[in-house]
PDB file of all heavy atoms in Angstrom:
ATOM      1  N   PHE A 150     106.231  72.310 111.198  1.00 96.00           N
ATOM      2  CA  PHE A 150     104.907  71.967 110.696  1.00 96.00           C
ATOM      3  C   PHE A 150     105.012  71.231 109.360  1.00 96.00           C
ATOM      4  O   PHE A 150     104.407  70.179 109.163  1.00 96.00           O
ATOM      5  CB  PHE A 150     104.036  73.222 110.547  1.00 96.00           C
ATOM      6  CG  PHE A 150     102.758  72.972 109.802  1.00 96.00           C
ATOM      7  CD1 PHE A 150     101.727  72.256 110.388  1.00 96.00           C
ATOM      8  CD2 PHE A 150     102.598  73.436 108.507  1.00 96.00           C
ATOM      9  CE1 PHE A 150     100.548  72.005 109.691  1.00 96.00           C
ATOM     10  CE2 PHE A 150     101.430  73.189 107.804  1.00 96.00           C
ATOM     11  CZ  PHE A 150     100.404  72.473 108.401  1.00 96.00           C
ATOM     12  N   VAL A 151     105.803  71.783 108.445  1.00 97.00           N
ATOM     13  CA  VAL A 151     105.968  71.159 107.127  1.00 97.00           C
ATOM     14  C   VAL A 151     106.598  69.773 107.273  1.00 97.00           C
ATOM     15  O   VAL A 151     106.156  68.812 106.636  1.00 97.00           O
ATOM     16  CB  VAL A 151     106.793  72.062 106.185  1.00 97.00           C
ATOM     17  CG1 VAL A 151     107.173  71.325 104.906  1.00 97.00           C
ATOM     18  CG2 VAL A 151     106.016  73.339 105.851  1.00 97.00           C
ATOM     19  N   ASP A 152     107.622  69.652 108.125  1.00 97.00           N
ATOM     20  CA  ASP A 152     108.262  68.350 108.345  1.00 97.00           C
ATOM     21  C   ASP A 152     107.273  67.321 108.890  1.00 97.00           C
ATOM     22  O   ASP A 152     107.455  66.128 108.693  1.00 97.00           O
ATOM     23  CB  ASP A 152     109.444  68.475 109.313  1.00 97.00           C
ATOM     24  CG  ASP A 152     110.630  69.195 108.691  1.00 97.00           C
ATOM     25  OD1 ASP A 152     110.681  69.338 107.447  1.00 97.00           O
ATOM     26  OD2 ASP A 152     111.521  69.619 109.467  1.00 97.00           O
ATOM     27  N   GLY A 153     106.235  67.791 109.569  1.00 96.00           N
ATOM     28  CA  GLY A 153     105.247  66.901 110.163  1.00 96.00           C
ATOM     29  C   GLY A 153     104.111  66.502 109.227  1.00 96.00           C
ATOM     30  O   GLY A 153     103.250  65.711 109.607  1.00 96.00           O
ATOM     31  N   VAL A 154     104.104  67.040 108.009  1.00 96.00           N
ATOM     32  CA  VAL A 154     103.070  66.651 107.043  1.00 96.00           C
ATOM     33  C   VAL A 154     103.297  65.187 106.689  1.00 96.00           C
ATOM     34  O   VAL A 154     104.380  64.811 106.235  1.00 96.00           O
ATOM     35  CB  VAL A 154     103.103  67.558 105.789  1.00 96.00           C
ATOM     36  CG1 VAL A 154     102.167  67.041 104.708  1.00 96.00           C
ATOM     37  CG2 VAL A 154     102.767  69.000 106.167  1.00 96.00           C
ATOM     38  N   ALA A 155     102.301  64.360 106.902  1.00 94.00           N
ATOM     39  CA  ALA A 155     102.461  62.906 106.780  1.00 94.00           C
ATOM     40  C   ALA A 155     102.778  62.435 105.364  1.00 94.00           C
ATOM     41  O   ALA A 155     103.665  61.598 105.169  1.00 94.00           O
ATOM     42  CB  ALA A 155     101.207  62.201 107.284  1.00 94.00           C
ATOM     43  N   ASP A 156     102.083  62.957 104.374  1.00 93.00           N
ATOM     44  CA  ASP A 156     102.259  62.510 103.002  1.00 93.00           C
ATOM     45  C   ASP A 156     103.504  63.150 102.385  1.00 93.00           C
ATOM     46  O   ASP A 156     103.646  64.376 102.384  1.00 93.00           O
ATOM     47  CB  ASP A 156     101.014  62.874 102.179  1.00 93.00           C
ATOM     48  CG  ASP A 156     101.108  62.387 100.755  1.00 93.00           C
ATOM     49  OD1 ASP A 156     100.851  61.188 100.527  1.00 93.00           O
ATOM     50  OD2 ASP A 156     101.445  63.208  99.877  1.00 93.00           O
ATOM     51  N   GLU A 157     104.395  62.330 101.866  1.00 94.00           N
ATOM     52  CA  GLU A 157     105.665  62.838 101.325  1.00 94.00           C
ATOM     53  C   GLU A 157     105.452  63.822 100.181  1.00 94.00           C
ATOM     54  O   GLU A 157     106.118  64.857 100.112  1.00 94.00           O
ATOM     55  CB  GLU A 157     106.535  61.675 100.856  1.00 94.00           C
ATOM     56  CG  GLU A 157     107.892  62.115 100.348  1.00 94.00           C
ATOM     57  CD  GLU A 157     108.769  60.953  99.911  1.00 94.00           C
ATOM     58  OE1 GLU A 157     108.356  59.783 100.030  1.00 94.00           O
ATOM     59  OE2 GLU A 157     109.888  61.234  99.439  1.00 94.00           O
ATOM     60  N   ARG A 158     104.542  63.514  99.264  1.00 94.00           N
ATOM     61  CA  ARG A 158     104.293  64.419  98.132  1.00 94.00           C
ATOM     62  C   ARG A 158     103.747  65.748  98.632  1.00 94.00           C
ATOM     63  O   ARG A 158     104.165  66.808  98.195  1.00 94.00           O
ATOM     64  CB  ARG A 158     103.315  63.801  97.136  1.00 94.00           C
ATOM     65  CG  ARG A 158     103.053  64.729  95.961  1.00 94.00           C
ATOM     66  CD  ARG A 158     102.151  64.192  94.902  1.00 94.00           C
ATOM     67  NE  ARG A 158     101.501  62.951  95.196  1.00 94.00           N
ATOM     68  CZ  ARG A 158     100.287  62.623  94.793  1.00 94.00           C
ATOM     69  NH1 ARG A 158      99.596  63.457  94.065  1.00 94.00           N
ATOM     70  NH2 ARG A 158      99.749  61.465  95.087  1.00 94.00           N
ATOM     71  N   ARG A 159     102.788  65.698  99.572  1.00 96.00           N
ATOM     72  CA  ARG A 159     102.214  66.923 100.116  1.00 96.00           C
ATOM     73  C   ARG A 159     103.288  67.730 100.861  1.00 96.00           C
ATOM     74  O   ARG A 159     103.327  68.946 100.802  1.00 96.00           O
ATOM     75  CB  ARG A 159     101.056  66.543 101.060  1.00 96.00           C
ATOM     76  CG  ARG A 159     100.035  67.567 101.241  1.00 96.00           C
ATOM     77  CD  ARG A 159      99.058  67.815 100.112  1.00 96.00           C
ATOM     78  NE  ARG A 159      98.309  66.665  99.689  1.00 96.00           N
ATOM     79  CZ  ARG A 159      98.217  66.291  98.423  1.00 96.00           C
ATOM     80  NH1 ARG A 159      98.812  66.967  97.474  1.00 96.00           N
ATOM     81  NH2 ARG A 159      97.512  65.250  98.066  1.00 96.00           N
ATOM     82  N   ARG A 160     104.183  67.033 101.552  1.00 97.00           N
ATOM     83  CA  ARG A 160     105.289  67.687 102.273  1.00 97.00           C
ATOM     84  C   ARG A 160     106.225  68.383 101.281  1.00 97.00           C
ATOM     85  O   ARG A 160     106.621  69.530 101.481  1.00 97.00           O
ATOM     86  CB  ARG A 160     106.028  66.644 103.108  1.00 97.00           C
ATOM     87  CG  ARG A 160     107.018  67.202 104.093  1.00 97.00           C
ATOM     88  CD  ARG A 160     107.538  66.151 105.056  1.00 97.00           C
ATOM     89  NE  ARG A 160     108.011  64.928 104.426  1.00 97.00           N
ATOM     90  CZ  ARG A 160     107.447  63.729 104.540  1.00 97.00           C
ATOM     91  NH1 ARG A 160     106.364  63.566 105.266  1.00 97.00           N
ATOM     92  NH2 ARG A 160     107.973  62.680 103.931  1.00 97.00           N
ATOM     93  N   ASP A 161     106.581  67.698 100.192  1.00 97.00           N
ATOM     94  CA  ASP A 161     107.441  68.310  99.161  1.00 97.00           C
ATOM     95  C   ASP A 161     106.752  69.505  98.511  1.00 97.00           C
ATOM     96  O   ASP A 161     107.383  70.531  98.248  1.00 97.00           O
ATOM     97  CB  ASP A 161     107.815  67.278  98.096  1.00 97.00           C
ATOM     98  CG  ASP A 161     108.789  66.225  98.608  1.00 97.00           C
ATOM     99  OD1 ASP A 161     109.407  66.444  99.680  1.00 97.00           O
ATOM    100  OD2 ASP A 161     108.927  65.179  97.936  1.00 97.00           O
ATOM    101  N   ASP A 162     105.441  69.370  98.248  1.00 97.00           N
ATOM    102  CA  ASP A 162     104.670  70.486  97.693  1.00 97.00           C
ATOM    103  C   ASP A 162     104.708  71.685  98.638  1.00 97.00           C
ATOM    104  O   ASP A 162     104.869  72.831  98.207  1.00 97.00           O
ATOM    105  CB  ASP A 162     103.211  70.080  97.460  1.00 97.00           C
ATOM    106  CG  ASP A 162     103.017  69.159  96.261  1.00 97.00           C
ATOM    107  OD1 ASP A 162     103.966  68.963  95.474  1.00 97.00           O
ATOM    108  OD2 ASP A 162     101.892  68.621  96.124  1.00 97.00           O
ATOM    109  N   ALA A 163     104.569  71.430  99.935  1.00 98.00           N
ATOM    110  CA  ALA A 163     104.586  72.509 100.924  1.00 98.00           C
ATOM    111  C   ALA A 163     105.955  73.201 100.947  1.00 98.00           C
ATOM    112  O   ALA A 163     106.032  74.430 100.988  1.00 98.00           O
ATOM    113  CB  ALA A 163     104.234  71.980 102.316  1.00 98.00           C
ATOM    114  N   ARG A 164     107.004  72.424 100.907  1.00 98.00           N
ATOM    115  CA  ARG A 164     108.355  73.026 100.879  1.00 98.00           C
ATOM    116  C   ARG A 164     108.524  73.912  99.649  1.00 98.00           C
ATOM    117  O   ARG A 164     109.087  75.003  99.714  1.00 98.00           O
ATOM    118  CB  ARG A 164     109.419  71.935 100.908  1.00 98.00           C
ATOM    119  CG  ARG A 164     109.536  71.271 102.251  1.00 98.00           C
ATOM    120  CD  ARG A 164     110.647  70.231 102.279  1.00 98.00           C
ATOM    121  NE  ARG A 164     110.738  69.636 103.600  1.00 98.00           N
ATOM    122  CZ  ARG A 164     110.732  68.338 103.836  1.00 98.00           C
ATOM    123  NH1 ARG A 164     110.669  67.469 102.844  1.00 98.00           N
ATOM    124  NH2 ARG A 164     110.806  67.890 105.075  1.00 98.00           N
ATOM    125  N   HIS A 165     108.038  73.413  98.507  1.00 98.00           N
ATOM    126  CA  HIS A 165     108.142  74.182  97.267  1.00 98.00           C
ATOM    127  C   HIS A 165     107.359  75.498  97.383  1.00 98.00           C
ATOM    128  O   HIS A 165     107.860  76.555  96.999  1.00 98.00           O
ATOM    129  CB  HIS A 165     107.635  73.347  96.084  1.00 98.00           C
ATOM    130  CG  HIS A 165     107.677  74.085  94.785  1.00 98.00           C
ATOM    131  ND1 HIS A 165     108.860  74.365  94.137  1.00 98.00           N
ATOM    132  CD2 HIS A 165     106.692  74.613  94.020  1.00 98.00           C
ATOM    133  CE1 HIS A 165     108.600  75.034  93.024  1.00 98.00           C
ATOM    134  NE2 HIS A 165     107.293  75.197  92.932  1.00 98.00           N
ATOM    135  N   LEU A 166     106.150  75.435  97.919  1.00 98.00           N
ATOM    136  CA  LEU A 166     105.336  76.645  98.039  1.00 98.00           C
ATOM    137  C   LEU A 166     105.900  77.628  99.054  1.00 98.00           C
ATOM    138  O   LEU A 166     105.816  78.841  98.843  1.00 98.00           O
ATOM    139  CB  LEU A 166     103.890  76.292  98.378  1.00 98.00           C
ATOM    140  CG  LEU A 166     103.080  75.698  97.222  1.00 98.00           C
ATOM    141  CD1 LEU A 166     101.715  75.238  97.716  1.00 98.00           C
ATOM    142  CD2 LEU A 166     102.934  76.696  96.083  1.00 98.00           C
ATOM    143  N   VAL A 167     106.483  77.145 100.139  1.00 98.00           N
ATOM    144  CA  VAL A 167     107.125  78.053 101.100  1.00 98.00           C
ATOM    145  C   VAL A 167     108.240  78.829 100.397  1.00 98.00           C
ATOM    146  O   VAL A 167     108.346  80.053 100.539  1.00 98.00           O
ATOM    147  CB  VAL A 167     107.668  77.283 102.329  1.00 98.00           C
ATOM    148  CG1 VAL A 167     108.617  78.153 103.142  1.00 98.00           C
ATOM    149  CG2 VAL A 167     106.521  76.792 103.211  1.00 98.00           C
ATOM    150  N   GLU A 168     109.028  78.123  99.618  1.00 98.00           N
ATOM    151  CA  GLU A 168     110.129  78.778  98.896  1.00 98.00           C
ATOM    152  C   GLU A 168     109.586  79.743  97.837  1.00 98.00           C
ATOM    153  O   GLU A 168     110.010  80.899  97.757  1.00 98.00           O
ATOM    154  CB  GLU A 168     111.012  77.719  98.239  1.00 98.00           C
ATOM    155  CG  GLU A 168     112.223  78.298  97.538  1.00 98.00           C
ATOM    156  CD  GLU A 168     113.097  77.214  96.929  1.00 98.00           C
ATOM    157  OE1 GLU A 168     113.348  76.198  97.598  1.00 98.00           O
ATOM    158  OE2 GLU A 168     113.519  77.389  95.772  1.00 98.00           O
ATOM    159  N   LEU A 169     108.641  79.291  97.035  1.00 98.00           N
ATOM    160  CA  LEU A 169     108.082  80.109  95.955  1.00 98.00           C
ATOM    161  C   LEU A 169     107.387  81.357  96.508  1.00 98.00           C
ATOM    162  O   LEU A 169     107.664  82.475  96.065  1.00 98.00           O
ATOM    163  CB  LEU A 169     107.099  79.277  95.134  1.00 98.00           C
ATOM    164  CG  LEU A 169     106.449  79.951  93.932  1.00 98.00           C
ATOM    165  CD1 LEU A 169     106.207  78.911  92.839  1.00 98.00           C
ATOM    166  CD2 LEU A 169     105.135  80.616  94.283  1.00 98.00           C
ATOM    167  N   MET A 170     106.506  81.179  97.489  1.00 98.00           N
ATOM    168  CA  MET A 170     105.766  82.316  98.033  1.00 98.00           C
ATOM    169  C   MET A 170     106.686  83.293  98.750  1.00 98.00           C
ATOM    170  O   MET A 170     106.496  84.501  98.665  1.00 98.00           O
ATOM    171  CB  MET A 170     104.643  81.841  98.943  1.00 98.00           C
ATOM    172  CG  MET A 170     103.513  81.181  98.201  1.00 98.00           C
ATOM    173  SD  MET A 170     102.171  80.698  99.339  1.00 98.00           S
ATOM    174  CE  MET A 170     100.919  80.203  98.164  1.00 98.00           C
ATOM    175  N   GLY A 171     107.690  82.772  99.439  1.00 98.00           N
ATOM    176  CA  GLY A 171     108.656  83.647 100.099  1.00 98.00           C
ATOM    177  C   GLY A 171     109.442  84.475  99.087  1.00 98.00           C
ATOM    178  O   GLY A 171     109.661  85.672  99.276  1.00 98.00           O
TER     179      GLY A 171
END
Side-chain angles (χ1 to χ4, degrees):
F150 169 72
V151 170
D152 289 344
V154 172
D156 182 80
E157 183 179 358
R158 180 178 8 146
R159 205 74 57 231
R160 191 170 50 247
D161 289 344
D162 286 350
R164 287 183 179 128
H165 178 72
L166 286 173
V167 166
E168 183 178 316
L169 182 147
M170 289 182 172

